[in-house]
Amino acid sequence: KVSRNNTLIALVSVEDLRSSAEIILSNNQMIRFAEHLKERNVVRMRLKVSLQENQLPRFFCEDISNDLNIAKKEAKANHCSVEKCKKLYIRLPGEDSAEKEKVIRLIDIYSGGDLPVYIYYEDSKKTIKTSNNMCVFKRESLIEELSRQIGKNNVKIVK
């Protein structure tokens, strides 16, 4: 594909267990990261996200690595222990509720942070801590969007 600046760019499809996305790479990046860009190859990508009204998010590649040991160490370092940090509590009607899918999508978007997420299901009266890879970045935009989607009384950050 050709960019607005008349340079070659590539759209690379990546996926994990939950979803897929298209990543935009420049021609220089395609050459530099060629060894990592193979089908079924597990990689760690650092991305820049562009959010514009009435458009799907666009992801721009900044770096690609296949050193998963570094990625695991960084992920572990980003997660705080339960005793030391704040927690995000989300209340949902039940595990099969329509709101759950909306919440999971938002958690996926903001994942990678150090704020653990707990989901309380009203029907079963159970609270479940999501896995460590679903800890989120504490962003006002996340809280606002969760509040808009499921109601302000159903979202709370506590210590």
Side-chain angles (χ1 to χ4, degrees):
K1 194 171 177 176
V2 178
S3 72
R4 285 185 239 153
N5 299 338
N6 211 20
T7 59
L8 288 177
I9 60 170
L11 298 176
V12 178
S13 293
V14 295
E15 59 184 47
D16 63 9
L17 297 175
R18 294 180 184 263
S19 63
S20 63
E22 281 194 339
I23 312 298
I24 300 168
L25 290 115
S26 70
N27 190 40
N28 291 340
Q29 289 173 320
M30 284 293 294
I31 294 166
R32 191 169 82 208
F33 301 130
E35 68 185 62
H36 302 304
L37 299 172
K38 296 176 184 156
E39 191 169 343
R40 299 212 169 280
N41 194 20
V42 177
V43 296
R44 177 180 153 256
M45 299 179 96
R46 189 174 69 230
L47 305 171
K48 183 173 127 184
V49 180
S50 172
L51 298 172
Q52 294 180 358
E53 200 170 314
N54 300 325
Q55 286 186 0
L56 291 173
R58 292 179 10 195
F59 301 95
F60 297 90
C61 180
E62 292 187 343
D63 189 37
I64 298 176
S65 166
N66 65 352
D67 187 346
L68 297 181
N69 290 329
I70 292 173
K72 286 178 186 175
K73 286 178 187 174
E74 286 178 357
K76 197 171 188 179
N78 284 338
H79 295 95
C80 61
S81 68
V82 173
E83 300 81 33
K84 294 182 182 177
C85 66
K86 294 182 178 181
K87 302 163 190 81
L88 172 61
Y89 280 90
I90 299 170
R91 181 172 49 198
L92 295 173
E95 287 191 59
D96 298 327
S97 65
E99 293 92 345
K100 182 179 178 182
E101 189 61 35
K102 295 174 187 175
V103 167
I104 296 298
R105 276 193 221 125
L106 284 169
I107 289 172
D108 279 342
I109 291 170
Y110 288 88
S111 66
D114 62 358
L115 183 64
V117 179
Y118 291 79
I119 300 176
Y120 173 76
Y121 297 109
E122 286 186 321
D123 61 355
S124 64
K125 308 277 189 251
K126 288 184 182 178
T127 302
I128 298 170
K129 180 187 181 294
T130 61
S131 62
N132 277 349
N133 63 344
M134 291 183 77
C135 288
V136 295
F137 289 101
K138 184 183 172 192
R139 301 282 189 268
E140 193 62 37
S141 57
L142 169 63
I143 305 307
E144 287 173 3
E145 187 59 24
L146 282 168
S147 297
R148 192 181 70 72
Q149 295 276 343
I150 62 172
K152 191 172 185 170
N153 294 336
N154 295 316
V155 180
K156 192 171 199 175
I157 295 180
V158 294
K159 192 162 187 175

